[in-house]
Amino acid sequence: MNAKVKIIRDINLTFAQPPIPDRNYDWHATRSDYEPGDLIGYGRTPVVALANLLEKEEEMEPVK
């Protein structure tokens, strides 16, 4: 699957702001079909969370 197809799938961005002083987890990025145990991207901003999710998905792809 190429990167363009992955990005087109729906991604939900959520502002969580957990009660911790570390702001690196304020935003969460998940796929619209998210189920417990699926990958979650975290970041200080929505863009960083999205990039983190895409990076994790890329790492999970089998090497061809």
Side-chain angles (χ1 to χ4, degrees), residues 4-30:
K4 187 173 184 178
V5 173
K6 282 190 223 174
I7 293 172
I8 291 173
R9 285 183 37 217
D10 290 336
I11 296 175
N12 298 323
L13 295 166
T14 308
F15 183 68
Q17 194 174 11
I20 58 175
D22 187 351
R23 299 288 51 119
N24 290 319
Y25 299 93
D26 281 359
W27 286 90
H28 298 166
T30 57

Side-chain angles (χ1 to χ4, degrees), residues 25-38:
Y25 299 93
D26 281 359
W27 286 90
H28 298 166
T30 57
R31 292 292 178 174
S32 61
D33 57 352
Y34 173 82
E35 293 188 16
D38 287 350

Side-chain angles (χ1 to χ4, degrees), residues 25-57:
Y25 299 93
D26 281 359
W27 286 90
H28 298 166
T30 57
R31 292 292 178 174
S32 61
D33 57 352
Y34 173 82
E35 293 188 16
D38 287 350
L39 297 174
I40 302 174
Y42 297 100
R44 198 174 262 282
T45 67
V47 173
V48 174
L50 173 60
N52 183 248
L53 175 63
L54 296 176
E55 181 179 309
K56 288 178 179 182
E57 288 179 345

